[in-house]
Amino acid sequence: MKVLVTGATGYVGGRLVPRLLESGHEVRTTTTNPDKPAPWWSDRVETVRMDIADAADVDAALAGMDAVYYLVHGMGGGDDFAEKDRRAATNVARAVEAHGTSRVVYLSGIVPPADPDELSAHITSRHEVEQILAATPATTLTLRAAVLMGSGSTSFEIIRQVSERMPVQTVPTWMNSDVQPIAVVDAIEALLGALTAPVSTRSYDIGGPERMPYGDLLDRYTDITGLERPQVEVPFLPTDLVGTLVGALTDVPSSTVQALVESLHHDMVCAEEDFRADLLPTGYHLMGLDEAIRRSLADPRTEVPEDPESADPMGPMPQDPSWASGGDDQPLLAKASDAVRGVVEQVLPGRGSDRG
């Protein structure tokens, strides 16, 4: 099949493209900046310039494509991210219909069974994107994941960096909802299967073989890595304060941290697991959590593979974001100081910058 992959240089896209090529598909990828260093597999794909907010760019990129992977998400802050997501999805939907593209595969997040008014703005926006894409004549499969395990994944890097940098794990009581992590290689396999699965338009929840409270996930990480990190549950911590604290202690973009923190007000687990039968190869076994953590532990600051073609996709890859490799090297004490100032600023505006 001729397949367009949007977001191909992102964490998931950069690992999906090689699997598509390995399976014999012709791949076209998109970029907003042709001068940016190309991924290691770039000589095996066609790359076109595309701004997903530009309808003409999107229309040209989808011309001649049998299928499209929608792997872009508006994780930024500000009041207009939902409008940007809506416009991007609408542009893709119109191009899909215009060119008769037969399949759309969208990687989204778990949508908890809660009142829509209780869902975070980011979850609501992702669900809206799903609805826009599903309204096209194409067979549209939405894969909803919660926590992706793998070096370079935002979810995993938050767990890694918070565990390494905080001597005590402070978990707000509301944040200790259940999660169902999935190894990125299992998510990639499901995405690959979604390209040709003989099914109609629908969504699939995808998750690994274990579900647990988020605090237990942090404990599993520290147990496997040999870190001594006592855990304390704290009531009444506001969401924005937690997002500020975690954002300051880690190198993951703060807007992304805030979106992920907001989602943990709800259980982020599979409501159904049809993807195992519909999207995965017969006899395929999902990776257990302990193995997923161990295979994700390679330090991206020192262990980026010389030969990505044969490297473990659970580990670091050359195109992974800079914040996955230790970030700005700011000392832990300085990060903690920034975190405290950020919290003070949330509680007492104008006081967080006071140094005396």
Side-chain angles (χ1 to χ4, degrees):
M1 296 178 69
K2 295 181 179 179
V3 183
L4 176 69
V5 181
T6 66
T9 57
Y11 175 69
V12 172
R15 287 159 171 78
L16 173 63
V17 168
R19 286 292 288 120
L20 290 169
L21 294 169
E22 181 184 325
S23 299
H25 299 289
E26 296 181 42
V27 178
R28 177 184 293 170
T29 65
T30 66
T31 181
T32 57
N33 182 10
D35 296 328
K36 185 177 179 180
W40 60 271
W41 36 255
S42 61
D43 60 340
R44 299 162 58 192
V45 305
E46 175 193 8
T47 300
V48 298
R49 182 168 187 162
M50 187 192 84
D51 177 354
I52 201 165
D54 187 304
D57 277 5
V58 175
D59 184 79
L62 264 92
M65 294 293 102
D66 300 311
V68 56
Y69 280 95
Y70 193 97
L71 305 179
V72 292
H73 301 300
M75 296 297 285
D79 297 330
D80 61 344
F81 80 88
E83 174 55 33
K84 291 179 180 178
D85 278 355
R86 185 179 306 116
R87 187 184 317 128
T90 300
N91 287 342
V92 171
R94 287 173 178 167
V96 163
E97 186 165 0
H99 293 289
T101 305
S102 61
R103 182 151 304 210
V104 178
V105 182
Y106 170 42
L107 179 61
S108 184
I110 294 287
V111 179
D115 188 296
D117 294 337
E118 298 177 3
L119 298 178
S120 73
H122 283 274
I123 293 176
T124 301
S125 178
R126 287 191 175 194
H127 191 218
E128 182 183 16
V129 167
E130 175 183 331
Q131 293 172 314
I132 291 170
L133 297 175
T136 69
T139 297
T140 299
L141 301 185
T142 299
L143 277 59
R144 300 171 172 176
V147 176
L148 284 178
M149 302 299 290
S151 177
S153 157
T154 52
S155 299
F156 181 78
E157 291 303 325
I158 289 172
I159 293 169
R160 185 196 328 237
Q161 294 177 26
V162 166
S163 297
E164 289 179 352
R165 296 172 181 179
M166 289 185 67
V168 176
Q169 292 179 340
T170 303
V171 180
T173 50
W174 57 260
M175 195 168 117
N176 214 8
S177 304
D178 281 357
V179 293
Q180 191 169 349
I182 183 169
V184 67
V185 292
D186 293 340
I188 295 296
E189 205 64 33
L191 285 165
L192 182 66
L195 191 61
T196 55
V199 296
S200 302
T201 293
R202 60 162 295 180
S203 64
Y204 289 95
D205 290 350
I206 64 172
E210 299 179 64
R211 56 180 288 175
M212 68 209 70
Y214 191 75
D216 289 2
L217 175 58
L218 296 175
D219 275 343
R220 291 283 282 277
Y221 179 89
T222 55
D223 286 347
I224 289 172
T225 56
L227 295 170
E228 295 284 342
R229 296 293 185 267
Q231 192 170 114
V232 178
E233 285 198 3
V234 181
F236 310 124
L237 280 180
T239 305
D240 54 353
L241 293 187
V242 176
T244 298
L245 177 64
V246 176
L249 284 172
T250 67
D251 301 317
V252 180
S254 58
S255 57
T256 301
V257 171
Q258 187 69 41
L260 294 175
V261 165
E262 287 177 357
S263 72
L264 291 173
H265 277 281
H266 306 278
D267 289 340
M268 302 298 283
V269 298
C270 297
E272 45 75 26
E273 298 188 2
D274 296 348
F275 83 101
R276 295 193 185 205
D278 290 359
L279 307 183
L280 297 178
T282 302
Y284 187 92
H285 293 287
L286 295 171
M287 188 181 300
L289 178 60
D290 289 0
E291 181 183 355
I293 293 174
R294 291 191 182 98
R295 285 176 57 178
S296 304
L297 286 178
D299 189 339
R301 288 163 287 192
T302 59
E303 300 181 51
V304 174
E306 293 184 5
D307 179 19
E309 187 78 43
S310 59
D312 183 0
M314 294 294 295
M317 285 290 186
Q319 77 275 1
D320 287 345
S322 60
W323 46 258
S325 58
D328 57 13
D329 293 326
Q330 186 183 22
L332 176 59
L333 185 59
K335 289 182 183 293
S337 178
D338 286 348
V340 171
R341 281 198 298 274
V343 170
V344 171
E345 182 65 32
Q346 290 281 351
V347 178
L348 300 171
R351 296 295 299 276
S353 60
D354 291 347
R355 301 284 182 140

